[in-house]
Amino acid sequence: MKKIAVFGMILLACVFAAGCAVPGTTPDPIVGIWSADDPMQFNDSSFTYVFHADGTGNALETSADPGESSGMYNITWRSTGEGTYEAISLYELVFSEDKKVFTILGDGSGDRFIGDGFVGVWMKETPEEFDGVLYEARFAFYEDTTGSFSWHYLNNGTQESSYPLVWSAEDGVYRYWYPDDLSTFTIGADGVLTERWGDGVYTYTRV
C-alpha cells in the first residue's frame, strides 16, 4: 500500500463505470465481503474487501497492533470478463474551514498538510522519521488534474522518491488516486479471490 506513513493500496470513474451492474440483474460474483486468508502477509495488517454492485466498495485495513488505527479506503472496480476484475483505491481530502489544511479521510494517520489553494504544493506539517533519517512529505496538484506525492530529505530538500497521482473535484469534494496502484483480481473455481498488486499475490475468502 502506498500510504503516507510508509514508503511506497488503495477515481477512475469514466474508465471503471463499465463495471457497474445493471439494476435488477444478478449481482456480479465478486459482490460481497472478502477477508484475507493470511493477515500476516500484509506486515501485521489484515485487509477486508467490500465490493458493492454499483462498481464501488471499500478496503478495510486492521492492524494487529491495538495501538494502531484502522483505515477505511474507498475503491472503484470493474469486471474485465471471465471472473477477472480491476480495482483501485480512492482517497478523499478533508479541508479546514480556511482551506489551508487538509487531512486524508480514512487513512487513520491524522497527518495534516499545509498549503494555500488546491493547485500547488502542500507540505506535511511534521517531518517523518525512517531509520533515523528525517523526511518531508509533499503533495503537488496541477491544473491538468495530475500531480504527485513525494518524499524529500529534510536536511537538504533533495527528492528521495515520487509517485504520480490523478485527482478529481466533484460537488466540492476532492479525491485522488495512484494509477500505479491498480489491483487485478481473479475468482478461482474453488471460490478463492486472488489479488495481484505490484509484485505481491494475496488470497481472500468470502465472508
Side-chain angles (χ1 to χ4, degrees):
M1 304 286 287
K2 187 187 287 107
K3 299 189 179 68
I4 302 307
V6 298
F7 286 110
M9 167 169 216
I10 351 153
L11 176 61
L12 300 177
C14 296
V15 175
F16 281 81
C20 299
V22 178
T25 61
T26 302
D28 191 283
I30 201 173
V31 171
I33 303 174
W34 300 80
S35 182
D37 291 330
D38 179 13
M40 296 302 290
Q41 65 188 337
F42 301 107
N43 297 321
D44 297 331
S45 290
S46 174
F47 278 89
T48 299
Y49 276 107
V50 181
F51 295 94
H52 302 305
D54 63 356
T56 65
N58 304 102
L60 174 63
E61 179 185 13
T62 304
S63 174
D65 183 349
E68 295 288 336
S69 300
S70 297
M72 176 73 79
Y73 306 92
N74 295 322
I75 63 171
T76 182
W77 64 272
R78 68 171 183 143
S79 171
T80 53
E82 299 182 355
T84 60
Y85 306 85
E86 293 179 340
I88 201 163
S89 294
L90 181 67
Y91 302 89
E92 183 175 325
L93 304 181
V94 180
F95 290 89
S96 60
E97 289 188 9
D98 62 7
K99 306 297 183 183
K100 293 186 177 182
V101 178
F102 75 68
T103 56
I104 303 170
L105 182 65
D107 81 343
S109 70
D111 290 339
R112 292 160 47 96
F113 287 81
I114 312 300
D116 189 6
F118 179 73
V119 173
V121 177
W122 294 74
M123 314 284 284
K124 188 172 180 291
E125 189 175 43
T126 56
E128 194 81 38
E129 181 180 349
F130 298 99
D131 297 327
V133 179
L134 290 175
Y135 297 86
E136 181 180 71
R138 301 179 188 178
F139 276 102
F141 298 101
Y142 310 128
E143 290 185 357
D144 64 357
T145 71
T146 65
S148 66
F149 171 76
S150 57
W151 291 102
H152 297 255
Y153 293 104
L154 187 63
N155 64 341
N156 59 18
T158 302
Q159 180 176 289
E160 188 277 339
S161 58
S162 181
Y163 308 95
L165 61 82
V166 181
W167 63 269
S168 69
E170 184 176 357
D171 297 327
V173 178
Y174 288 80
R175 300 181 175 94
Y176 72 92
W177 60 95
Y178 298 102
D180 292 342
D181 273 357
L182 186 73
S183 288
T184 60
F185 293 87
T186 304
I187 299 178
D190 55 0
V192 173
L193 181 68
T194 299
E195 176 189 17
R196 288 174 172 80
W197 179 81
D199 296 328
V201 178
Y202 315 104
T203 58
Y204 304 81
T205 301
R206 187 183 297 278
V207 177

